[in-house]
C-alpha cells in the first residue's frame, strides 16, 4: 500500500505512521494494526502521538471495557494541532458505540453529540448517523 511504502521510506514521520495504522484498521487488519501500534508506543510520545496511540489501542482491543478505557484515555490527552479534532471525534463515536452496545443510551447520546460536532472524516460522520438511527429505532 502507499501508506506502508511511505512508512518504510520515512519511518520517523508520525503522520505517515498514523495514516498507515488507520489504513490497517479500515481494511480490518487488526492484528497488523496492533503490531504497528505497539511499535508506535515510543514513537507516539507527545500530544497527538499519545492521543492516536490510545485511540488505536481501543480500536484493536477485544475487551469492551478496556476499549472504552483506551478511548477515554485518548480524550484526556491535552493535544492541540492538526488531526487532533479528527481523532477526538473518532474516540467519541467509538465510545458511543460501546455504550450503545451496553444499552446505556444516555451516555452514548452525549458522546454522539461530541463526535458530530467535531467530525470531519466521512466514516465518522457515517458512523454517527448509523448510531443515531440505531438509537431512534
Amino acid at each position: 500500500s502507499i501508506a506502508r511504502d511511505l512508512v518504510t521510506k520515512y519511518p520517523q514521520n508520525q503522520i505517515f505512521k498514523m495514516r498507515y495504522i488507520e489504513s490497517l484498521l479500515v481494511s480490518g487488519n487488526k492484528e497488523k494494526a496492533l503490531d504497528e501500534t505497539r511499535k508506535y508506543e515510543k514513537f507516539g510520545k507527545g500530544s497527538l502521538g499519545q492521543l492516536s496511540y490510545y485511540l488505536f489501542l481501543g480500536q484493536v482491543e477485544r475487551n469492551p471495557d478496556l476499549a472504552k478505557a483506551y478511548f477515554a484515555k485518548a480524550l484526556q490527552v491535552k493535544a492541540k494541532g492538526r488531526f487532533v479534532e479528527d481523532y477526538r471525534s473518532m474516540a467519541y463515536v467509538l465510545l458511543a458505540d460501546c455504550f450503545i452496545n451496553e444499552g446505556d443510551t444516555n451516555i452514548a447520546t452525549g458522546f454522539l453529540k461530541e463526535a458530530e460536532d467535531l467530525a470531519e472524516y466521512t466514516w465518522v460522520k457515517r458512523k454517527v448517523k448509523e448510531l443515531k438511527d440505531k438509537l431512534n429505532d
Side-chain angles (χ1 to χ4, degrees):
S1 76
I2 294 171
R4 182 189 60 236
D5 294 345
L6 286 170
V7 165
T8 302
K9 189 170 183 176
Y10 304 101
Q12 296 305 312
N13 187 302
Q14 181 178 19
I15 303 303
F16 291 163
K17 183 64 122 176
M18 288 168 27
R19 294 298 193 202
Y20 177 49
I21 295 171
E22 279 183 52
S23 72
L24 292 169
L25 290 166
V26 168
S27 68
N29 193 344
K30 287 189 173 189
E31 290 303 317
K32 181 69 175 164
L34 179 57
D35 290 343
E36 292 299 321
T37 299
R38 284 184 179 142
K39 289 184 217 171
Y40 182 64
E41 180 179 14
K42 291 180 185 125
F43 186 72
K45 296 296 181 202
S47 306
L48 179 61
Q50 278 187 311
L51 192 160
S52 59
Y53 174 71
Y54 292 127
L55 177 67
F56 297 148
L57 284 179
Q59 289 178 279
V60 297
E61 181 56 57
R62 290 189 174 103
N63 178 318
D65 290 330
L66 287 177
K68 285 191 316 192
Y70 284 130
F71 296 140
K73 211 165 182 173
L75 291 169
Q76 291 171 354
V77 173
K78 303 292 184 223
K80 290 184 184 332
R82 192 169 170 213
F83 302 112
V84 169
E85 299 305 312
D86 295 329
Y87 279 41
R88 286 191 190 287
S89 71
M90 289 179 205
Y92 279 122
V93 79
L94 294 168
L95 261 175
D97 196 21
C98 291
F99 280 100
I100 288 170
N101 290 334
E102 294 174 355
D104 197 336
T105 58
N106 288 334
I107 291 175
T109 300
F111 286 135
L112 281 176
K113 171 86 173 88
E114 294 291 335
E116 188 173 41
D117 289 348
L118 297 174
E120 291 190 17
Y121 276 35
T122 303
W123 79 262
V124 175
K125 290 178 182 181
R126 198 170 34 244
K127 185 74 172 176
V128 166
K129 183 182 179 335
E130 170 194 320
L131 293 177
K132 284 175 110 179
D133 291 345
K134 191 174 183 180
L135 287 175
N136 292 326
D137 284 345

